[in-house]
Amino acid sequence: MSGIGIEILQLFKAPVTAKAFELFARFINNKSPSMMQTVAKRFDQLLESHHLNGAELLSLIPPAWGWNLSTVENSIQISKALQAEYFSWFAKTFQVNESWLNGSEELAVAHFGGYKHLETLGTTLREDGWVNDELKMTILSEEYAGQNAPLGRYAIVFSKPIAELDREKTIYKHVLFEPVWQWDHLPCRLETKAIARWYSMILMQFGIISIIPVKRKEFEQLIKRKTLPGKFITLESGGYDHFEVRVLNPTESQQTIEVEEIDAVIEHLEHCGFLEAIHG
């Protein structure tokens, strides 16, 4: 049963309310595609964006659910096995919106805020447990041309391990820091470089930040938060330009570029409140 259907049943255990009628109307009018098909499609996207197959998903599922290989054979089987409380587990584990998973909303993910208030981002990362040496930072750039070209529109994604399935495969959840950034807007550029400077030189000691090109149509869906960012992220640095060369000074790397902005980036990082917030 769909998330809305489950919610309707729960509501009708109590006296009928206006919300119950609203949900019931939405449920009976949503015939094409059915809510079951919508939920199944959302789980297909969830598995694809986290590079998971059914057996790997099963290894993450709480044993108390009693799921087996036939339960995760495909997304239809998964949707049939779902209970209302399971949606919140998937949402929290994979950093997606519960209301998107159950088919009642179109926004797939929330995002971390903090543009021009980087102390807000620092506090969120620290309090939500994202600050450790397993954190990944990636730039997704719309139609990026490569060869250290300007980025145009881009998104900043943080990735955090959910589980290590074996020595060769780690599953991550992903979150956007603000939906979209614009490279030719100086405040955007300085904020991005300040965060990258912290990640690459303070947290990770020369950590790599890949710039991954995204096609325009898919990028539009990404910044509207109607698709999951993990879909575009391999977390392997090979074959991509590296953003960190834009935030290093010549004494730190011979490959550094855009050195004319490095002093402003370092000054911004030191005075914006981010460092104090993220390190408590």
Side-chain angles (χ1 to χ4, degrees):
M1 182 177 291
S2 74
I4 291 178
I6 293 167
E7 192 173 352
I8 290 168
L9 290 179
Q10 292 172 337
L11 283 168
F12 275 103
K13 292 178 182 177
V16 176
T17 65
K19 185 178 181 183
F21 280 117
E22 177 188 353
L23 287 169
F24 183 69
R26 287 168 58 193
F27 182 67
I28 63 174
N29 288 325
N30 194 356
K31 298 178 181 177
S32 180
S34 70
M35 291 302 295
M36 186 72 76
Q37 290 173 326
T38 299
V39 170
K41 183 178 179 181
R42 300 281 163 86
F43 273 85
D44 278 334
Q45 294 177 53
L46 184 76
L47 294 176
E48 176 192 11
S49 68
H50 291 86
H51 313 287
L52 278 170
N53 58 40
E56 291 168 340
L57 175 64
L58 183 62
S59 71
L60 305 178
I61 295 295
W65 292 8
W67 286 22
N68 54 41
L69 284 173
S70 63
T71 314
V72 294
E73 181 178 356
N74 55 55
S75 58
I76 292 294
Q77 292 299 106
I78 292 172
S79 61
K80 289 179 179 178
L82 290 169
Q83 297 182 25
E85 62 268 24
Y86 295 177
F87 284 101
S88 61
W89 180 88
F90 279 106
K92 182 178 180 180
T93 300
F94 293 100
Q95 200 79 24
V96 299
N97 285 340
E98 182 176 350
S99 55
W100 174 80
L101 271 181
N102 67 29
S104 61
E105 284 190 14
E106 293 297 316
L107 289 182
V109 292
H111 66 272
F112 289 167
Y115 172 58
K116 292 189 176 181
H117 295 279
L118 289 184
E119 71 280 1
T120 301
L121 173 65
T123 300
T124 302
L125 289 172
R126 175 174 51 82
E127 292 183 347
D128 290 359
W130 287 70
V131 185
N132 56 58
D133 60 5
E134 295 181 301
L135 180 68
K136 305 291 185 183
M137 180 177 173
T138 307
I139 303 292
L140 301 179
S141 180
E142 179 186 26
E143 300 288 355
Y144 178 60
Q147 298 182 338
N148 295 318
L151 297 184
R153 293 197 303 174
Y154 60 97
I156 300 171
V157 182
F158 293 111
S159 304
K160 174 184 177 181
I162 297 171
E164 186 175 335
L165 299 183
D166 53 49
R167 292 184 178 181
E168 297 182 356
K169 187 169 185 178
T170 301
I171 305 303
Y172 289 81
K173 62 180 178 182
H174 313 278
V175 66
L176 292 168
F177 172 40
E178 302 290 0
V180 63
W181 299 76
Q182 184 67 47
W183 186 251
D184 61 8
H185 183 55
L186 181 59
C188 282
R189 196 164 67 246
L190 287 180
E191 296 252 299
T192 302
K193 287 186 173 186
I195 299 163
R197 173 82 186 178
W198 163 78
Y199 174 82
S200 186
M201 296 304 295
I202 298 177
L203 181 66
M204 301 298 293
Q205 295 299 304
F206 294 97
I208 292 173
I209 305 169
S210 296
I211 305 174
I212 299 178
V214 178
K215 293 181 179 179
R216 180 166 289 109
K217 185 176 180 180
E218 292 182 319
F219 190 80
E220 286 291 342
Q221 292 299 302
L222 174 69
I223 64 177
K224 291 177 181 177
R225 294 181 286 149
K226 293 186 177 182
T227 193
L228 303 177
K231 172 183 179 180
F232 309 103
I233 296 177
T234 65
L235 295 173
E236 298 175 358
S237 58
Y240 297 115
D241 283 359
H242 291 179
F243 186 83
E244 72 277 2
V245 299
R246 302 174 189 240
V247 299
L248 305 177
N249 63 48
T251 64
E252 295 165 335
S253 172
Q254 295 181 349
Q255 297 178 324
T256 188
I257 61 173
E258 301 174 8
V259 295
E260 68 279 1
E261 289 186 343
I262 186 61
D263 288 343
V265 170
I266 292 173
E267 182 178 2
H268 185 61
L269 179 60
E270 291 176 347
H271 294 95
C272 67
F274 176 80
L275 295 178
E276 292 83 353
I278 204 161
H279 298 299

